[in-house]
Amino acid sequence: MRLYQQIGNQLRAAIDAGQYRPGDRLPPERDIAERFAVSRSVVREALIMLELQKVVEVRKGSGVYVLALQTESLSSAADSGYGPFELLQARQLLESEVAAFAAVQATKADILKMRDAIAIEEGFIAQGVIDESADELFHTLLAQASQNSVLANMVYELWQVRKHSPMWQGVHLHVGEQNYSEMWLRDHRQILQAVLRRDPKAAKQAMWQHLENVKSKLLEISDAEDPTFDGYLFTSVPANLND
């Protein structure tokens, strides 16, 4: 993958995670270049790529603005038909291995970006705001830290299905006033610490346990009588982390 594609994908992940919303103006090219430690020409190419994908609009003399997500992509994700626990199991199997790989592949820039995502989570918690965008951003940045665009895209696609699945949204109707943000933040910190130590086994275990914690909470708040409930199919651990 060319450098401008990497930067473009990272910007798109931030947009998809809600860091920049439709109508928002992206930071100036100079600031983006400094953030990713690349030249402004690379940033310009990345923005052109995003413009061609209809993710952003470049307005001469004004800046670069985020466009609304395409209806086609949302509807296709919403029609996936995957049950929430089936989706979570797929994420658990994939993202735990991705975390292990990221632990040996992550660069200093990757680490700094994941730290920024955790800082955003901390800010939401301090403000009492329930916002999952930083959660998604952390997971997508971790996948990108694997330096494998196929793996990064697989994680991204699973998050898109999660965000736009009516069944997943139905599960969250039962959350009420409960907020597990602090628990997820602790889990993310443990994952990042394992990556910082270059410990793939610890990173894999931390991610596995994180998504196991998510599964346990979803089982607590789910309506087992709901026709879309599929938790009983995926309550057992299908792999041995000690292997």
Side-chain angles (χ1 to χ4, degrees):
M1 183 180 291
R2 300 283 297 279
L3 184 56
Y4 80 87
Q5 293 174 312
Q6 296 177 34
I7 302 305
N9 286 340
Q10 290 175 26
L11 287 171
R12 178 160 189 167
I15 292 169
D16 290 332
Q19 188 174 347
Y20 303 107
R21 301 185 182 280
D24 286 353
R25 185 171 63 181
L26 293 183
E29 284 183 5
R30 178 184 63 256
D31 294 351
I32 296 174
E34 290 176 355
R35 175 185 171 188
F36 293 107
V38 297
S39 69
R40 291 182 65 175
S41 63
V42 170
V43 173
R44 194 167 298 116
E45 290 176 341
L47 294 175
I48 291 172
M49 181 187 85
L50 294 180
E51 186 176 32
L52 291 173
Q53 294 174 353
K54 301 188 184 303
V55 175
V56 301
E57 178 184 16
V58 179
R59 302 177 188 171
K60 191 172 182 179
S62 179
V64 181
Y65 293 81
V66 178
L67 297 175
L69 293 175
Q70 297 297 305
T71 304
E72 292 179 6
S73 62
L74 295 184
S75 60
S76 62
D79 292 340
S80 69
Y82 303 138
F85 290 91
E86 182 180 18
L87 176 60
L88 188 58
Q89 186 183 66
R91 286 187 56 210
Q92 191 175 40
L93 288 165
L94 174 63
E95 292 194 51
S96 59
E97 295 294 344
V98 169
F101 196 35
V104 296
Q105 294 286 97
T107 66
K108 180 179 179 180
D110 293 323
I111 298 294
L112 292 176
K113 281 178 268 187
M114 285 186 278
R115 280 178 169 168
D116 287 344
I118 285 178
I120 295 171
E121 287 186 82
E122 292 169 341
F124 285 147
I125 291 171
Q127 298 168 33
V129 175
I130 300 178
D131 190 321
E132 295 185 332
S133 61
D135 182 4
E136 180 184 352
L137 181 61
F138 177 81
H139 283 262
T140 53
L141 288 173
L142 180 66
Q144 290 169 15
S146 72
Q147 314 305 328
N148 185 302
S149 58
V150 176
L151 291 175
N153 193 55
M154 290 171 69
V155 170
Y156 166 79
E157 291 296 337
L158 286 176
W159 270 89
Q160 295 313 297
V161 173
R162 176 194 184 278
K163 282 202 306 185
H164 305 300
S165 167
M167 285 186 284
W168 185 275
Q169 293 168 11
V171 168
H172 279 265
L173 290 176
H174 301 285
V175 173
E177 295 301 317
Q178 300 177 77
N179 184 3
Y180 302 111
S181 299
E182 291 190 18
M183 180 183 294
W184 308 155
L185 175 61
R186 288 194 297 271
D187 289 350
H188 290 170
R189 285 171 174 161
Q190 289 180 350
I191 295 165
L192 183 56
Q193 283 301 313
V195 173
L196 283 168
R197 296 196 306 271
R198 298 291 185 187
D199 188 336
K201 184 175 181 180
K204 176 180 178 178
Q205 290 175 326
M207 178 60 81
W208 186 279
Q209 189 58 52
H210 169 47
L211 293 174
E212 192 70 19
N213 292 340
V214 174
K215 180 169 66 180
S216 296
K217 290 303 176 185
L218 288 183
L219 284 169
E220 288 178 15
I221 64 178
S222 294
D223 179 6
E225 302 302 318
D226 190 308
T228 63
F229 179 76
D230 64 335
Y232 60 89
L233 294 173
F234 303 101
T235 54
S236 61
V237 176
N240 188 342
L241 285 178
N242 295 321
D243 288 347

